[in-house]
Amino acid sequence: MSETSPKLINENISITVTLEDNGYYLCHLSNPSPDPSQNTINSYGQTQEHAIAIALEQLADKYRQIAEDQQNIDILTVERSLDGEAISKLYHVTLHFECTIDAESKFEAMHDTIMGNTVVENGKITVIEVAEDLPFADILELGA
């Protein structure tokens, strides 16, 4: 993992939610993304919280992708010790899947999603290598 010098990062995210004439909420999120073409996110939701959640997830997706890209790790590279043993590393793996489902109930929508392979097949997977001594890294280990 690359070393970086400590520096103060001060970025402001602006969130504005408005109730539109169509009865839905529009969340306008302005962020300090390195790519100026992606500095704004607009998302609709049934409630203001729903609109904000969608916008924040889009922002998180952008930053996960930036973090992964910055590592510039060849997906097939295996580092080996001097005696040829593969060196295991710690990775933060995010599987993100969103869709709309036509179902008779919330339970049926959840059940239909769990039963199919659609989540894995259509999900977006981000893999970020993390240091073993990263504070709270154990929180990232689901199922541990």
Side-chain angles (χ1 to χ4, degrees), residues 85-105:
E85 293 287 322
I87 300 172
S88 278
K89 297 185 176 194
L90 186 62
Y91 295 93
H92 175 200
V93 179
T94 305
L95 170 61
H96 182 84
F97 175 76
E98 289 187 49
C99 71
T100 55
I101 281 186
D102 185 22
E104 294 177 7
S105 68

Side-chain angles (χ1 to χ4, degrees), residues 10-135:
N10 185 7
E11 297 178 343
N12 293 309
I13 296 172
S14 170
I15 298 175
T16 306
V17 181
T18 56
L19 179 58
E20 299 286 293
D21 291 338
N22 60 11
Y24 297 113
Y25 290 85
L26 174 63
C27 178
H28 177 78
L29 187 145
S30 298
N31 72 86
S33 173
D35 182 351
S37 69
Q38 297 183 6
N39 282 355
T40 59
I41 295 171
N42 292 304
S43 61
Y44 276 99
Q46 303 249 131
T47 64
Q48 61 186 9
E49 293 82 7
H50 184 223
I52 291 169
I54 292 169
L56 289 174
E57 183 49 51
Q58 291 175 12
L59 181 64
D61 181 56
K62 288 179 186 180
Y63 276 96
R64 278 192 300 270
Q65 192 62 54
I66 290 168
E68 184 180 38
D69 292 347
Q70 285 174 340
Q71 289 188 331
N72 196 28
I73 298 173
D74 180 353
I75 194 167
L76 299 176
T77 298
V78 176
E79 288 189 35
R80 299 196 176 273
S81 66
L82 294 176
D83 61 355
E85 293 287 322
I87 300 172
S88 278
K89 297 185 176 194
L90 186 62
Y91 295 93
H92 175 200
V93 179
T94 305
L95 170 61
H96 182 84
F97 175 76
E98 289 187 49
C99 71
T100 55
I101 281 186
D102 185 22
E104 294 177 7
S105 68
K106 183 176 178 178
F107 174 80
E108 288 296 323
M110 180 181 68
H111 184 265
D112 291 349
T113 302
I114 291 170
M115 294 306 294
N117 288 330
T118 307
V119 173
V120 175
E121 291 171 358
N122 297 332
K124 180 176 181 180
I125 299 173
T126 307
V127 180
I128 301 169
E129 184 179 327
V130 295
E132 296 279 342
D133 62 349
L134 177 70

